[in-house]
Amino acid sequence: KRKLMLEGVTLVSPETIYIEKNVVIGSDTEVLPGSIIRGKTVIGESCVIGPNADIKDSIINNQVKIKHSTVIESSVDDCSVVGPYAYMRPKSIVGKDVKIGDFVEIKNSTIGDGTKISHLTYVGDGKVGKNVNLGCGVVFVNYNGVTKGLTEVEDNAFIGCNTNLIAPVKVE
């Protein structure tokens, strides 16, 4: 922790933060209390991580904010916001300027630049384009009891509240 602080990382209440030795964190990043950062995680510059973020084996680029959320084996590109209370499961790729809001779960999916998934949404096994809006309560119904299917949402689509997209499906 001392080495990170000397390299320009701010650790607020460092006694409450757990960071494994192989983690890389860029300068001007702030890690807030209760955060756990593990594995082969790389965090860029000027980020705000926490409070209470749990990040493992992930790539977090520059100027990202992750608040009260879990990110596992995933990536978040520049200027995106995750949380509060979001859950990014393995193989999730989030583009630039994306909002992954409260109580959103992403699994094995790609989210394009500028997309907003503000709250109470599940995106599993999906490809979501650029500048898409997924409203409150959107569910990617990706499992039929036997196999998992792909849901695709193309650029600039607007999906309203309380929508179930039953895979395989493509929204243009």
Side-chain angles (χ1 to χ4, degrees):
K1 291 181 191 176
R2 181 175 170 84
K3 180 178 179 282
L4 287 171
M5 290 189 284
L6 291 171
E7 293 171 350
V9 177
T10 300
L11 303 179
V12 177
S13 297
E15 66 280 1
T16 70
I17 298 168
Y18 178 77
I19 301 173
E20 288 185 350
K21 66 180 180 178
N22 292 329
V23 169
V24 176
I25 302 177
S27 64
D28 296 322
T29 287
E30 184 176 22
V31 181
L32 300 176
S35 295
I36 301 168
I37 307 171
R38 303 173 283 156
K40 298 175 184 175
T41 297
V42 177
I43 298 174
E45 297 180 355
S46 302
C47 295
V48 178
I49 306 298
N52 302 312
D54 184 358
I55 302 170
K56 181 180 180 188
D57 296 326
S58 296
I59 297 171
I60 310 300
N61 284 350
N62 301 314
Q63 297 178 316
V64 170
K65 295 179 181 177
I66 299 175
K67 181 178 183 180
H68 296 288
S69 296
T70 299
V71 180
I72 301 170
E73 298 173 22
S74 295
S75 66
V76 181
D77 210 343
D78 296 342
C79 303
S80 290
V81 177
V82 177
Y85 312 112
Y87 185 23
M88 290 182 55
R89 291 168 54 194
K91 299 180 184 175
S92 297
I93 301 167
V94 170
K96 294 178 180 166
D97 296 308
V98 171
K99 180 179 182 186
I100 304 294
D102 48 320
F103 305 105
V104 172
E105 182 174 353
I106 309 289
K107 182 207 62 114
N108 189 34
S109 296
T110 303
I111 312 298
D113 297 347
T115 288
K116 290 178 178 53
I117 309 172
S118 294
H119 43 265
L120 300 166
T121 294
Y122 173 70
V123 178
D125 301 305
K127 289 184 180 179
V128 179
K130 296 178 182 179
N131 302 310
V132 169
N133 182 84
L134 297 181
C136 178
V138 172
V139 176
F140 283 35
V141 183
N142 60 325
Y143 185 57
N144 65 10
V146 178
T147 60
K148 300 230 174 158
L150 176 67
T151 297
E152 296 180 81
V153 178
E154 293 190 345
D155 295 350
N156 305 307
F158 183 96
I159 310 294
C161 292
N162 202 26
T163 301
N164 287 337
L165 298 172
I166 301 172
V169 67
K170 184 176 192 175
V171 178
E172 298 181 351

